[in-house]
């Protein structure tokens, strides 16, 4: 479903929640996450995409052998087909947990009642967030805010802007991934630039708050905010555009 958001500078940004698409004046605008996904090399992700199916093939074959089953061509084809889907299964489950956790945090910061959760990964992330948040002296300024840069033509949704005890604005991005990766650095610099362009308010610092699905230790990573990292984001944007527009 399409929703329209009127930004502080009067620009109307349209967003489709299911398709994760942004439009301004009936023209599609690339998203910050889309740019970081398609325009930034991810060697760790490539290794994971290769190793995950391979490990699943090994596990399934050993399972059949331990049960005394004879392997034939049809069985191997089924094993390969199952293993091929394993990365998508992990990604879908991770996306589901991340979406639920973000929704809980948004509702909590908007003073809504939070129902009891049963999923172990969600509960772990949620408890880590609550324990961390209740120790901070932050006042929410913007929650799940839509942003758009007229100058550089990109859009997105930042998680949280807060005001600290010194009345300075802090940009916070909530992650439920297994690691902090380089594209997060570009993502937060892009959010900062678009937020400041729209509001004329200065972001003083930025952090990734990583909530592990299983571990008990939260990770707080300060993200440098500088012209070099923002230019790297723009470079990823231009690289993505050329990869998709050039015929080869």
């Amino acid at each position: 479903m399409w929703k329209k958001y009127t930004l502080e500078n009067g620009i109307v940004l349209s967003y489709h929640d299911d398709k994760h698409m942004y439009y301004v004046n009936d023209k599609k605008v690339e998203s910050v996450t889309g740019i970081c996904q398609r325009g930034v090399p991810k060697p760790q992700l490539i290794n994971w995409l290769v190793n995950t199916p391979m490990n699943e093939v090994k596990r399934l074959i050993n399972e059949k052998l331990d049960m005394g089953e004879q392997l034939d061509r049809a069985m191997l084809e089924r094993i390969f087909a199952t293993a091929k889907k394993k990365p998508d299964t992990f990604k879908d489950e991770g996306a589901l947990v991340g979406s639920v956790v973000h929704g809980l945090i948004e509702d909590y910061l908007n003073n809504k009642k939070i129902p009891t959760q049963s999923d172990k990964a969600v509960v772990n992330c949620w408890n880590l967030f609550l324990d961390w948040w209740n120790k901070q002296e932050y006042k929410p300024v913007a929650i799940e805010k839509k942003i758009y840069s007229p100058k550089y033509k990109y859009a997105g949704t930042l998680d949280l802007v807060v005001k600290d005890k010194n009345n300075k604005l802090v940009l916070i991005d909530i992650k439920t991934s297994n690691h902090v990766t380089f594209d997060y650095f570009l993502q937060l610099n892009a959010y900062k630039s678009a937020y400041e362009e729209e509001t004329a308010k200065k972001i003083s610092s930025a952090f990734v708050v990583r909530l592990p699905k299983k571990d008990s230790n939260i990770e707080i990573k300060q993200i440098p905010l500088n012209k070099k990292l923002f230019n790297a984001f723009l470079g990823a944007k231009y690289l993505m555009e050329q990869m998709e527009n050039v015929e080869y």
Side-chain angles (χ1 to χ4, degrees):
M1 179 181 294
W2 287 101
K3 294 183 180 179
K4 291 187 177 182
Y5 299 85
T6 302
L7 307 182
E8 291 187 29
N9 52 13
I11 293 175
V12 177
L13 180 67
S14 298
Y15 176 67
H16 196 291
D17 191 42
D18 293 330
K19 298 180 180 179
H20 302 289
M21 295 173 61
Y22 297 86
Y23 275 75
V24 173
N25 296 327
D26 297 323
K27 293 183 179 180
K28 183 181 177 182
V29 180
E30 293 294 345
S31 70
V32 172
T33 53
I35 292 167
C36 290
Q37 286 171 0
R38 306 200 301 279
V40 180
K42 298 180 177 66
Q44 289 179 325
L45 177 60
I46 293 173
N47 290 336
W48 180 81
L49 289 172
V50 171
N51 292 330
T52 299
M54 294 291 289
N55 291 335
E56 183 67 1
V57 166
K58 181 179 178 180
R59 185 188 72 81
L60 291 172
I61 289 178
N62 285 333
E63 183 180 85
K64 297 296 183 183
L65 293 175
D66 290 343
M67 294 173 63
E69 297 186 29
Q70 185 175 353
L71 296 175
D72 58 20
R73 290 187 178 184
M75 185 177 291
L76 286 173
E77 289 296 333
R78 293 189 182 99
I79 287 174
F80 296 152
T82 300
K84 186 177 180 180
K85 298 175 183 177
K86 197 66 177 179
D88 287 335
T89 301
F90 280 140
K91 286 193 290 185
D92 290 345
E93 177 63 21
L96 184 150
V97 171
S99 178
V100 171
V101 171
H102 275 80
L104 292 173
I105 292 172
E106 180 181 5
D107 287 348
Y108 178 76
L109 296 180
N110 281 313
N111 299 314
K112 295 182 180 180
K113 186 177 180 180
I114 304 301
T116 301
Q117 303 298 304
S118 59
D119 183 88
K120 290 182 179 179
V122 170
V123 170
N124 195 69
C125 293
W126 176 237
N127 288 338
L128 286 171
F129 172 79
L130 281 181
D131 183 63
W132 169 78
W133 178 260
N134 290 331
K135 295 176 183 176
Q136 310 308 310
E137 298 181 49
Y138 288 146
K139 179 182 178 182
V141 174
I143 304 169
E144 292 292 324
K145 175 177 170 51
K146 298 291 183 289
I147 55 96
Y148 169 67
S149 169
K151 183 176 182 180
Y152 297 105
K153 302 295 186 294
Y154 66 84
T157 306
L158 60 80
D159 288 345
L160 187 60
V161 175
V162 298
K163 187 176 290 186
D164 66 15
K165 61 183 179 181
N166 297 316
N167 277 335
K168 292 185 177 181
L169 294 181
V170 179
L171 174 63
I172 297 174
D173 199 46
I174 307 295
K175 300 294 186 185
T176 57
S177 55
N178 293 330
H179 308 281
V180 173
T181 53
F182 176 69
D183 52 307
Y184 297 168
F185 287 65
L186 308 191
Q187 188 177 350
L188 267 70
N189 274 269
Y191 289 151
K192 169 191 179 291
S193 179
Y195 182 85
E196 292 180 348
E197 185 180 350
E198 175 192 346
T199 67
K201 298 173 183 176
K202 179 72 174 177
I203 296 287
S204 65
S205 58
F207 296 87
V208 165
V209 177
R210 190 179 69 84
L211 309 172
K213 302 180 189 70
K214 295 181 180 179
D215 298 340
S216 59
N217 295 321
I218 193 172
E219 181 180 5
I220 311 297
K221 180 71 174 179
Q222 184 166 8
I223 303 298
L225 300 174
N226 57 55
K227 190 66 175 176
K228 287 185 178 180
L229 284 171
F230 180 66
N231 284 341
F233 167 78
L234 294 180
K237 178 177 182 290
Y238 299 147
L239 178 62
M240 179 204 70
E241 291 171 346
Q242 292 306 306
M243 288 176 64
E244 296 182 354
N245 293 333
V246 172
E247 296 184 6
Y248 55 90

